[in-house]
Amino acid sequence: ATVPNILLSNGVRMPALAIGTAPLSTSPSHSPRSHQGYVGFFPERVTRSVRLALDAGLRHVDTALLYRSHEQVAHVIRASLMEGELDREDFFLTSKVLHPPAEAFGMDDTTIDMDEMTPEEVGRTVHRHVQVTLRELGVGYLDLMLLHWPSPGGGVGGQAEGDGDGEDGAGARTGMAEIDPARRAKRIAAWRVLEHYYSMGWLRAIGTSNFHEVHLQHLMDDGARVRPHVNQIETSVYIRHDGIVRYCRENGIAVSAFSPFGRGIMGMEEDGMLMSIASKHGATPGQVALAYLLHQGFAVTFYSGKLERMRGNIEACDIDLDESDVEKLEGLQRSASWGLPSPYTLS
């Protein structure tokens, strides 16, 4: 199987499958046997998973300053370049800045408490974080840089503001948090920093993560010179933000899905509908869930530490779902995250 590329609005080609680099324990029940009660990231697992991803044929690595995995990614890339296995142009590197404080997950130098900063301070901090990212990854330029969250209240360890899922089954907005003018001003300040590095050529593409359509439109209304090339949101067969996706497609913004398997805690492998369609195609439920997203034109970021699973996910690129399959899969929508807030709860 060959991983397809997604053509961004500026002509950059982005591989549609990416290996994620945020293995984590979100509750004491998920902590390792050797350290009961641990909540946080496991950056020590990333070196091997990225190495296996390259062995499987993946070339897109998705990371973030918050994850503390830049140096592990850099180690694998450096070794590959040194051995002449791959060239820099063979890799597509995505990272993210502008994550709110996240208890147990974020360190002081990896997050930004925008509510305690002026727009100018947010801009200066994003400047520094972009440079730190490039330094830690050991590269001259990044293929894609995203603003991680539009405001506090989101992210791992965050508490959602507002009432929940943000959309009904038809993709209509419900319970959208009122936009905070101060946070809006800080978002455009952060965005202008990404535009600066994009104009320098240090970033090949720039985008957002967890932004809804009003957040995105406000960037343009507030003077953005570059429309986001990508918006990354939680998406799976169980959770879709149709309104966000519709806006992005109408405005030439590629949509990237994270947590396509619900972090393994949403029961996809036991879902009767997924199992039925998987049997029809000689695939696994997870492969069908992934094929559905690819069929809909999403880029997808997933985490695995197993070579066989990575290869299986690549094989999902060849699964040809028919209209009946897609219709059944669209009926699985729950609008329920594995634990993150909806973008619509963020002001």
Side-chain angles (χ1 to χ4, degrees):
T2 301
V3 176
N5 288 317
I6 291 179
L7 184 64
L8 304 185
S9 62
N10 64 346
V12 168
R13 294 184 180 276
M14 178 177 71
L17 283 184
I19 184 67
T21 59
L24 76 163
S25 167
T26 56
S27 71
S29 63
H30 299 142
S31 59
R33 289 189 299 274
S34 61
H35 186 22
Q36 294 292 324
Y38 175 72
V39 173
F41 290 111
F42 297 104
E44 61 271 25
R45 298 179 181 175
V46 170
T47 304
R48 177 171 170 77
S49 65
V50 173
R51 177 63 260 178
L52 291 175
L54 297 186
D55 292 343
L58 293 169
R59 296 293 180 263
H60 184 174
V61 181
D62 180 289
T63 184
L65 186 62
L66 181 83
Y67 305 159
R68 293 186 281 123
S69 57
H70 283 161
E71 293 179 4
Q72 288 78 0
V73 172
H75 175 82
V76 178
I77 292 174
R78 190 180 303 119
S80 181
L81 295 175
M82 184 174 63
E83 294 166 5
E85 175 188 1
L86 294 169
D87 296 325
R88 168 64 183 92
E89 293 73 22
D90 296 321
F91 295 99
F92 193 99
L93 300 178
T94 295
S95 193
K96 313 174 198 76
V97 294
L98 194 68
H99 195 290
E103 185 178 358
F105 291 94
M107 293 185 173
D108 289 345
D109 58 350
T110 65
T111 62
I112 294 178
D113 189 356
M114 68 159 60
D115 285 347
E116 299 300 319
M117 294 180 174
T118 65
E120 293 74 21
E121 290 170 332
V122 168
R124 285 195 296 271
T125 307
V126 172
H127 265 291
R128 187 173 72 252
H129 285 181
V130 170
Q131 294 187 12
V132 167
T133 295
L134 290 166
R135 185 180 307 118
E136 290 182 351
L137 285 170
V139 294
Y141 66 89
L142 202 65
D143 298 283
L144 175 63
M145 179 68 89
L146 307 177
L147 296 182
H148 207 156
W149 284 88
S151 73
V156 290
Q159 295 297 316
E161 302 167 358
D163 67 355
D165 58 20
E167 294 186 7
D168 62 23
R173 297 194 302 270
T174 61
M176 180 188 285
E178 184 176 352
I179 296 297
D180 183 320
R183 290 176 172 179
R184 176 177 175 175
K186 294 164 189 177
R187 281 193 286 273
I188 188 62
W191 183 249
R192 287 182 175 132
V193 175
L194 298 199
E195 290 184 324
H196 168 73
Y197 286 103
Y198 176 68
S199 70
M200 289 176 61
W202 288 21
L203 306 175
R204 294 180 68 216
I206 53 178
T208 55
S209 180
N210 302 294
F211 278 47
H212 61 59
E213 60 266 44
V214 177
H215 295 141
L216 293 165
Q217 184 58 46
H218 281 172
L219 289 180
M220 306 311 300
D221 294 344
D222 294 341
R225 299 185 302 275
V226 179
R227 189 181 296 277
H229 300 115
V230 176
N231 187 34
Q232 187 180 84
I233 54 176
E234 182 180 2
T235 309
S236 69
V237 292
Y238 292 147
I239 178 169
R240 300 193 315 273
H241 291 297
D242 295 338
I244 300 174
V245 174
R246 187 181 311 113
Y247 175 90
C248 288
R249 290 181 173 161
E250 289 173 352
N251 289 277
I253 303 170
V255 184
S256 178
F258 69 82
S259 296
F261 307 121
R263 283 277 171 185
I265 60 177
M266 295 182 74
M268 286 188 185
E269 293 297 328
E270 293 79 41
D271 186 295
M273 183 61 70
L274 284 170
M275 291 173 69
S276 173
I277 297 173
S279 177
K280 171 182 171 181
H281 291 278
T284 66
Q287 286 176 317
V288 169
L290 189 56
Y292 169 76
L293 297 177
L294 295 169
H295 182 275
Q296 299 299 307
F298 293 101
V300 183
T301 294
F302 68 90
Y303 174 77
S304 178
K306 298 179 179 179
L307 181 61
E308 298 77 13
R309 177 63 62 86
M310 296 177 192
R311 286 175 171 162
N313 288 347
I314 293 174
E315 290 170 2
C317 296
D318 285 344
I319 296 176
D320 187 17
L321 299 174
D322 58 36
E323 291 184 11
S324 172
D325 297 330
V326 173
E327 184 178 352
K328 291 174 182 175
L329 291 169
E330 289 183 343
L332 296 178
Q333 167 128 336
R334 299 179 187 170
S335 289
S337 169
W338 62 270
L340 292 178
S342 161
Y344 291 108
T345 64
L346 304 175
S347 60

